[in-house]
Amino acid sequence: MENSTEAQKPQNTKKNKKKGATLDTFYGAKIQNTEQIEDNIKENAPKPSKGNGNSPQTYEEFESEMTKKMEAFWEEKLEIMQKKFTHLQNRYDETEKENQALKARIRQLEDNDRVKEQELIKQCQNTKKLEENIKYLTDKVIDLENRGRRDNLRIIGLPEKPEINTKLDMVIQDMIKENCPEILEQGGNTATDRAHRTTSTLNPQKTTPRNVIAKFQSYQTKEKILQEARKRQFRYKGMPIRVTQDLASSTLNDRKAWNMIFRKARELGLQPRISYPAKLTIYFQGKVWAFNKIEDFQLFAKKRPELCGKFDTENQRARNT
């Protein structure tokens, strides 16, 4: 008769399960699948002996022992996972703090940028005001210089010879006597305070003579001479000369800019004149038109079929060069 314990022998049946299944946890920790562990427990469970019916260790005890080991194993893994989680949480808190600090820094930089932009706008406004003031003061200085030259005449084309340069005062009196003797007949004061050439040294490369600046004692006499010079060509001993109002160099340059347009307007019979300080006036279609800038005149000419294309200063300069 077989031992009764043999009838109670547990059936050691094996199910077809995948071997070597793993569970990936945080940071790649590999843990055996629970089903695999259970299979291992059943395989390694002690079998009761057939001789005397006594077993050194029952199945229930073995299962309890393995359960404790599994619990200890999972507690150890859980503790590791908690440590990893705590580490990640600390890293997250640090990252969040850094993120908040960066956001605060960005807001500060944006505020600084707005402040600097406002300061830049104020500086631009101040710069514009300064430029306007500088232009006003520059125009004022030029106007004062021109007014300081109101008694002067500029004589252009007077031959540059030693006998003329040493006696400019007498040469000017001879010029007045030759071109407008009526002023002398009327007893006008033609005396000059001083007369000189425009530059202190003679440029050997320049073929044209230097201008002569003559300051008259009488403003009325100077104006009479200037009016006569505008009516006809002045001469000195048969040589043509030109007499104009003496002005500041900047004003003269502004007037020279009108030269091409002035000559073309004279050819077209527009009766051009350059008025103080550097304004062009013409007589067109029964009206007097005045222009302070060349651009204004060019725009005016483009809108008039009679003048369109006849005052192209760029083409004229190209042809001259």
Side-chain angles (χ1 to χ4, degrees):
M1 182 175 181
E2 295 181 357
N3 198 327
S4 60
T5 59
E6 186 176 356
Q8 298 177 356
K9 181 178 178 181
Q11 299 296 326
N12 188 13
T13 59
K14 296 183 180 180
K15 299 180 180 179
N16 293 329
K17 297 180 180 178
K18 294 181 180 179
K19 304 296 184 179
T22 60
L23 177 64
D24 292 338
T25 61
F26 293 111
Y27 293 94
K30 295 183 178 179
I31 302 173
Q32 289 181 337
N33 192 303
T34 304
E35 296 178 353
Q36 181 67 32
I37 294 174
E38 291 177 354
D39 291 342
N40 292 336
I41 291 172
K42 292 179 180 180
E43 290 177 358
N44 297 325
K47 300 178 176 58
S49 62
K50 299 179 180 180
N52 53 11
N54 297 324
S55 66
Q57 187 178 15
T58 64
Y59 179 78
E60 289 78 6
E61 292 175 350
F62 177 78
E63 186 176 11
S64 176
E65 182 180 352
M66 293 303 297
T67 301
K68 291 180 181 179
K69 289 182 179 181
M70 288 180 63
E71 290 177 353
F73 172 80
W74 283 112
E75 287 177 358
E76 181 181 359
K77 294 300 181 181
L78 180 61
E79 184 180 358
I80 294 173
M81 292 170 62
Q82 287 178 346
K83 290 181 180 180
K84 298 290 185 180
F85 179 78
T86 303
H87 176 72
L88 289 175
Q89 185 66 34
N90 294 335
R91 289 291 302 273
Y92 173 79
D93 294 340
E94 292 176 0
T95 304
E96 185 66 21
K97 290 180 181 179
E98 293 177 357
N99 189 24
Q100 294 297 331
L102 289 174
K103 288 181 179 179
R105 180 61 177 166
I106 290 173
R107 286 194 296 268
Q108 182 181 3
L109 291 174
E110 290 176 349
D111 294 338
N112 293 339
D113 186 63
R114 282 193 292 269
V115 172
K116 291 181 179 180
E117 185 177 358
Q118 293 175 357
E119 291 178 354
L120 180 62
I121 293 173
K122 292 180 180 179
Q123 290 180 359
C124 292
Q125 293 174 351
N126 293 334
T127 302
K128 185 177 180 180
K129 291 181 180 179
L130 289 174
E131 290 176 351
E132 291 175 354
N133 291 336
I134 291 173
K135 184 179 183 305
Y136 170 78
L137 293 174
T138 302
D139 294 341
K140 198 73 174 176
V141 170
I142 293 173
D143 182 66
L144 290 173
E145 184 178 356
N146 288 329
R147 292 180 184 278
R149 295 169 179 262
R150 63 196 302 268
D151 296 334
N152 297 356
L153 284 178
R154 182 179 291 263
I155 305 171
I156 304 171
L158 192 65
E160 190 161 356
K161 298 178 181 180
E163 59 272 18
I164 294 178
N165 292 341
T166 55
K167 300 177 181 180
L168 286 175
D169 293 335
M170 296 178 61
V171 170
I172 292 171
Q173 296 300 322
D174 293 341
M175 179 197 70
I176 296 173
K177 186 183 297 183
E178 181 178 352
N179 294 277
C180 44
E182 62 275 7
I183 296 177
L184 296 174
E185 294 174 357
Q186 295 173 1
N189 182 12
T190 60
T192 57
D193 285 337
R194 59 183 177 273
H196 60 85
R197 295 281 181 178
T198 53
T199 55
S200 58
T201 57
L202 178 63
N203 184 0
Q205 297 179 353
K206 190 174 182 180
T207 58
T208 58
R210 293 173 293 170
N211 297 343
V212 174
I213 307 298
K215 180 177 177 58
F216 286 82
Q217 294 179 357
S218 172
Y219 172 77
Q220 289 78 11
T221 301
K222 188 266 313 182
E223 281 294 311
K224 289 180 181 179
I225 297 172
L226 186 60
Q227 290 175 3
E228 294 296 327
R230 288 171 178 169
K231 294 178 183 178
R232 60 181 180 273
Q233 176 72 58
F234 271 31
R235 295 182 177 273
Y236 175 72
K237 294 184 178 180
M239 299 179 62
I241 59 175
R242 188 158 62 93
V243 178
T244 63
Q245 174 67 48
D246 181 37
L247 297 168
S249 59
S250 58
T251 305
L252 290 175
N253 290 333
D254 292 340
R255 289 193 169 199
K256 286 180 181 179
W258 289 105
N259 284 348
M260 294 182 182
I261 295 176
F262 186 89
R263 288 195 294 267
K264 188 63 177 179
R266 178 179 289 177
E267 293 176 3
L268 297 175
L270 300 179
Q271 303 177 17
R273 288 191 60 184
I274 302 294
S275 57
Y276 181 83
K279 182 169 62 175
L280 175 69
T281 60
I282 61 172
Y283 186 79
F284 179 71
Q285 293 181 349
K287 295 181 181 180
V288 177
W289 304 82
F291 306 94
N292 292 317
K293 297 180 179 180
I294 295 178
E295 293 79 8
D296 296 339
F297 177 81
Q298 290 177 338
L299 184 62
F300 171 83
K302 287 180 180 179
K303 295 180 179 179
R304 305 304 190 279
E306 301 89 341
L307 306 177
C308 184
K310 297 180 180 180
F311 293 92
D312 192 350
T313 56
E314 297 296 332
N315 292 338
Q316 291 179 12
R317 289 173 184 170
R319 286 196 298 268
N320 292 337
T321 55

